[in-house]
Amino acid sequence: MIAQPLVWVIDDDDISKFVLKRNLQEIGIKKTIEFPDSVEPLEVLSKHRHSEEVIPDIIFLDLNMPVLNGFQFLDELNFFQEELAKKIHIFMLTSSLNNKDMLHAKTYSMISEYFVKPLKYDYLVRAIGKVAEHLKEV
């Protein structure tokens, strides 16, 4: 991989986070930060919106979480997204097979892709590959 992206995993499910982080390590991603809910990462993004070093290149965002769910996180992020120092590639993850969730996700331009958990390894490789191509262009 050309560039080493900073990846955030925002998910309240410890098993999902463990599997995702292990798969990310297998494909060479070394910089991963995990969060058990979306409140703290939203605060970090808001406070450091002009810092390229702090802002992740990729966020794996769980849809169903306590406090703020994935859609609520995106709604809050939308207030200052244009001020972010760089583009964030957001991959929404969910264990829900509800078509309404998928259709709702399509209304957010911030979402790069929508995946049903467990995220298949080949889908992960493809998603990271797209981001790596973007990072080469920047």
Side-chain angles (χ1 to χ4, degrees):
M1 191 167 283
I2 303 299
Q4 188 59 236
L6 173 59
V7 177
W8 285 6
V9 178
I10 305 172
D11 195 334
D12 62 322
D13 181 353
D14 290 334
I15 293 171
S16 292
K17 283 189 292 194
F18 174 81
V19 171
L20 179 56
K21 285 178 60 180
R22 188 186 69 213
N23 286 337
L24 287 167
Q25 288 172 349
E26 282 185 26
I27 60 175
I29 302 298
K30 295 177 175 63
K31 298 188 300 187
T32 304
I33 299 172
E34 66 178 75
F35 299 92
D37 62 52
S38 58
V39 175
E40 182 183 355
L42 193 58
E43 290 171 356
V44 171
L45 288 172
S46 177
K47 184 176 180 180
H48 299 282
R49 64 184 80 173
H50 302 294
S51 174
E52 286 192 31
E53 295 78 34
V54 175
I55 296 173
D57 298 291
I58 300 169
I59 294 178
F60 287 96
L61 176 65
D62 186 28
L63 172 57
N64 296 308
M65 290 182 291
V67 187
L68 287 177
N69 69 33
F71 292 136
Q72 292 167 323
F73 171 87
L74 293 173
D75 289 340
E76 293 297 318
L77 179 60
N78 193 47
F79 286 116
F80 59 89
Q81 177 199 6
E82 296 295 322
E83 299 173 42
L84 294 174
K86 64 182 172 184
K87 176 179 175 39
I88 302 173
H89 300 269
I90 299 175
F91 299 105
M92 182 161 273
L93 305 173
T94 184
S95 55
S96 168
L97 297 174
N98 187 335
N99 254 357
K100 284 184 180 180
D101 289 338
M102 189 179 306
L103 292 173
H104 189 188
K106 289 182 180 185
T107 66
Y108 290 89
S109 62
M110 293 179 273
I111 298 176
S112 296
E113 289 196 52
Y114 180 94
F115 295 112
V116 175
K117 292 195 255 182
L119 177 56
K120 294 181 181 179
Y121 183 79
D122 56 330
Y123 292 173
L124 177 63
V125 170
R126 180 180 49 115
I128 296 295
K130 285 182 181 179
V131 174
E133 286 299 314
H134 171 79
L135 293 176
K136 283 194 298 188
E137 295 169 4
V138 175

